[in-house]
Amino acid sequence: MVLNKVDDCRVVDIETHSNGRDGNLSVMQNDGGAPFPVRRVYYLYDVPGGESRGGHAHRELHEMLVAVSGSFTVTVGDGEKSRTVMLNRPNRGLHIVPGIWRTLDDFSSGAVCLVMSSMPYDESDYIREYDDYLEYVGIKD
């Protein structure tokens, strides 16, 4: 099993078109624009102030998180190293690779987090307890 690291997660610029007078259009497609084939899309919104989302890792699933409105922070970690990324632009997303723990915090009022996933929902792909995660990545016996 190859384990990914925090540095494998990256901020991705999303293709954006603008003519300067009637707004912008950002697009992500499965023909090379997306870093993985998108199989599921959902969004988080109306997250109360002070609340967190995420708090899990995936065994196989890739995700791209985009702040389509407002802002929030994403902390990604691999059990040894972590980093926090502020998402606050609808033309930038964070690609989270499999095997990375993530939490989403600091949602601004009206924030909307769009999530594109490489797989349909599968509960068996989730690692929901941090101690189980540390065991999964080989840090804790």
Side-chain angles (χ1 to χ4, degrees):
M1 169 176 54
V2 175
L3 294 178
N4 289 309
K5 296 295 186 183
V6 163
D7 293 335
D8 297 319
C9 298
R10 62 187 180 90
V11 174
V12 175
D13 290 321
I14 298 170
E15 179 183 344
T16 301
H17 303 274
S18 175
N19 65 13
R21 65 175 193 268
D22 59 358
N24 300 312
L25 177 127
S26 293
V27 60
M28 177 84 47
Q29 301 181 112
N30 281 334
D31 66 354
F36 53 84
V38 176
R39 302 276 316 279
R40 180 175 179 233
V41 176
Y42 62 94
Y43 48 96
L44 309 169
Y45 59 99
D46 291 342
V47 178
E51 292 298 317
S52 293
R53 295 295 309 240
H56 64 268
H58 290 281
R59 291 175 173 84
E60 297 181 32
L61 180 106
H62 289 257
E63 287 185 321
M64 173 80 77
L65 280 58
V66 180
V68 293
S69 180
S71 64
F72 52 90
T73 60
V74 182
T75 302
V76 290
D78 58 24
E80 294 177 340
K81 181 179 177 182
S82 67
R83 71 179 167 118
T84 300
V85 176
M86 166 72 78
L87 293 177
N88 59 3
R89 300 191 52 141
N91 63 345
R92 299 191 85 192
L94 178 63
H95 176 202
I96 303 176
V97 296
I100 299 295
W101 190 266
R102 84 286 316 277
T103 57
L104 287 68
D105 295 290
D106 305 319
F107 285 84
S108 68
S109 178
V112 178
C113 172
L114 175 71
V115 182
M116 294 173 269
S117 299
S118 65
M119 298 169 36
Y121 176 81
D122 178 359
E123 180 61 31
S124 68
D125 188 60
Y126 283 75
I127 304 169
R128 296 195 182 270
E129 298 296 326
Y130 194 68
D131 283 344
D132 294 340
Y133 173 73
L134 293 177
E135 187 175 324
Y136 176 77
V137 296
I139 293 176
K140 179 180 175 186
D141 295 328

